[in-house]
Amino acid sequence: MLIKLKNKSAAAVLAIQNYVKEKGCDTRVFEGDTFDAIFIYGDNRENKIKISDIDSLAGADIDKVMTSGSLLSSRAFKKEDSSFKVGDVTFGSDELVMMAGPCAIETYEQLDAIAKELSGQGVKVLRGGAFKPRTSPYSFQGLGVEGLKMAREICDKYNMLFVSELTDVRYLDAFQEYVDIIQTGARNSQNFELFKALGSIDTPVLLKKGFSDSIDNFLCVADYIYSGGNKRIILCERGVMGLNQNHYRNTMDINSILTLRNLSHLPVCVDPSHACGRRDFIEPMCLAATTLGASSILLEVHNNPEIALCDAKQAFSFSDFKHLQKSLSVFTTATESVGKD
Ligand code: PEP
Ligand code: MN
């Protein structure tokens, strides 16, 4: 449960901490702008911790005891945008962070060629899946830990950060060793054990919304990680399941970008590759996403899109990417100057 205090009260926090400790559970205290929140966790099978006891300890200071919903990722908790640095990029600031690379790491040569080109085009974060959640068991499944090692070597060579999708807690150690930002996928959007594990480490998390997740549920997932103590979370819109799959793969939910920006202080990313599933939609969607307040973009780029082993139809070529970068720079400069002399 999470105890939301009415304000900041060191005495109430201490009283609750002592009580919870005595009952054999643990607390983690979070300082909001105007109030503290205390997350109570651990083995409470015997129901030793009672809301009525907590009430009598700090009743006047308690706003509410939460056993559902989310709070820590909300603007009510923290009014200003959260921003954080990973290497020399900053998420959640005016900087637009591009994370680009192949859907799947296929070979050393493929990833090296892509990293070389993209770093030359100013990209500081390389994406690349090593564990691919594919619909069919007969499709290419990714190179696994070998792929992560390869990507680490290549990212170090080009001075890039590496983001990759973790599909299962079993690989957490390897991801902590080789990956700078851990991505979680749409298909894992209700894997709560995975989110608890990610809360317990300090590697930043690129959290994808599920294709049929509500925004409220998505923010609960963000709270799973935040309440574990890992506050470096990037919320990622990657499209929802729509009615027009014969025309486009998913529907980019641009309303969610605005809504997440309104409801949460965490940085918002957009993945137009999976949201659209077709190359020709990607550039306009990137322009829309940045207008709506996304501060990072995750994009699939391949050295030879036609023969990509995964998600070929949505893969950008190097020249598509160059075109996008140019459009984005013209566009962001133009929108920055709106209203200025
Ligand atoms: C991916 O980014 O490679 C991916 C599988 O994305 P999603 O989980 O959004 O489908
Ligand atoms: Mn993909």
Side-chain angles (χ1 to χ4, degrees):
M1 70 183 82
L2 187 78
I3 315 289
K4 175 180 185 285
L5 298 185
K6 284 182 187 149
N7 41 42
K8 289 174 181 276
S9 165
V13 169
L14 192 63
I16 294 170
Q17 277 181 313
N18 287 340
Y19 167 79
V20 170
K21 199 167 168 197
E22 193 185 294
K23 301 291 176 192
C25 284
D26 286 302
T27 51
R28 193 168 290 115
V29 180
F30 293 90
E31 272 192 54
D33 290 341
T34 58
F35 59 84
D36 294 324
I38 306 149
F39 176 44
I40 299 178
Y41 63 99
D43 181 359
N44 192 28
R45 268 176 301 185
E46 290 164 29
N47 226 12
K48 286 180 282 188
I49 295 174
K50 297 198 172 47
I51 293 175
S52 55
D53 287 347
I54 295 178
D55 256 343
S56 63
L57 284 168
D61 286 313
I62 294 175
D63 180 20
K64 58 181 171 181
V65 177
M66 294 174 55
T67 54
S68 63
S70 62
L71 177 71
L72 302 176
S73 52
S74 75
R75 290 254 181 225
F77 183 66
K78 209 169 163 290
K79 197 162 158 277
E80 301 299 324
D81 288 350
S82 281
S83 70
F84 52 84
K85 271 185 93 117
V86 187
D88 60 359
V89 302
T90 307
F91 288 91
S93 71
D94 290 342
E95 176 184 353
L96 177 65
V97 180
M98 290 300 270
M99 296 179 273
C103 177
I105 302 164
E106 298 170 12
T107 61
Y108 187 95
E109 292 67 31
Q110 170 239 22
L111 194 66
D112 188 75
I114 297 171
K116 185 175 181 204
E117 170 69 24
L118 292 178
S119 67
Q121 289 198 39
V123 174
K124 294 176 184 155
V125 188
L126 184 71
R127 69 148 283 151
F131 292 86
K132 295 307 304 174
R134 304 302 299 276
T135 304
S136 169
Y138 312 124
S139 305
F140 175 60
Q141 303 288 307
L143 299 183
V145 175
E146 281 312 305
L148 299 180
K149 287 185 192 165
M150 236 180 231
R152 181 73 273 153
E153 194 183 317
I154 291 170
C155 284
D156 290 345
K157 179 170 164 193
Y158 296 106
N159 194 22
M160 296 174 95
L161 296 167
F162 177 42
V163 57
S164 195
E165 179 179 347
L166 171 67
T167 51
D168 193 294
V169 277
R170 277 179 296 165
Y171 306 113
L172 193 63
D173 288 348
F175 272 71
Q176 283 185 268
E177 187 169 353
Y178 301 117
V179 173
D180 299 298
I181 301 168
I182 298 180
Q183 175 184 326
T184 61
R187 289 158 193 79
N188 256 316
S189 66
Q190 294 182 2
N191 187 342
F192 303 112
E193 292 308 316
L194 187 64
F195 302 131
K196 283 185 218 168
L198 290 171
S200 72
I201 62 173
D202 60 11
T203 309
V205 179
L206 176 64
L207 183 66
K208 292 230 191 161
K209 184 155 78 58
F211 28 63
S212 53
D213 253 0
S214 69
I215 287 171
D216 292 341
N217 286 356
F218 185 46
L219 293 177
C220 284
V221 171
D223 263 40
Y224 258 99
I225 301 170
Y226 206 102
S227 63
N230 188 354
K231 301 177 184 174
R232 294 194 295 169
I233 305 163
I234 305 150
L235 305 174
C236 182
E237 169 57 48
R238 52 77 68 208
V240 294
M241 219 171 244
L243 298 173
N244 292 304
Q245 285 177 333
N246 52 336
H247 298 295
Y248 38 87
R249 182 178 177 183
N250 290 293
T251 301
M252 181 145 140
D253 181 4
I254 56 175
N255 292 357
S256 89
I257 305 168
L258 289 175
T259 311
L260 290 170
R261 296 280 296 126
N262 283 339
L263 293 180
S264 177
H265 56 85
L266 296 170
V268 174
C269 173
V270 166
D271 168 359
S273 305
H274 293 89
C276 303
R278 47 185 285 179
R279 187 173 299 135
D280 56 334
F281 277 26
I282 290 174
E283 184 172 312
M285 287 301 182
C286 287
L287 300 179
T290 48
T291 315
L292 296 170
S295 54
S296 55
I297 293 177
L298 182 74
L299 207 71
E300 291 187 343
V301 180
H302 200 279
N303 54 337
N304 194 348
E306 306 315 316
I307 57 159
L309 291 182
C310 192
D311 288 348
K313 281 194 202 146
Q314 66 199 35
F316 255 20
S317 66
F318 293 162
S319 64
D320 294 330
F321 189 74
K322 193 171 269 172
H323 192 274
L324 169 70
Q325 290 280 70
K326 192 159 171 241
S327 303
L328 276 171
S329 68
V330 172
F331 180 78
T332 46
T333 318
T335 46
E336 266 163 25
S337 61
V338 170
K340 292 180 192 156
D341 293 333

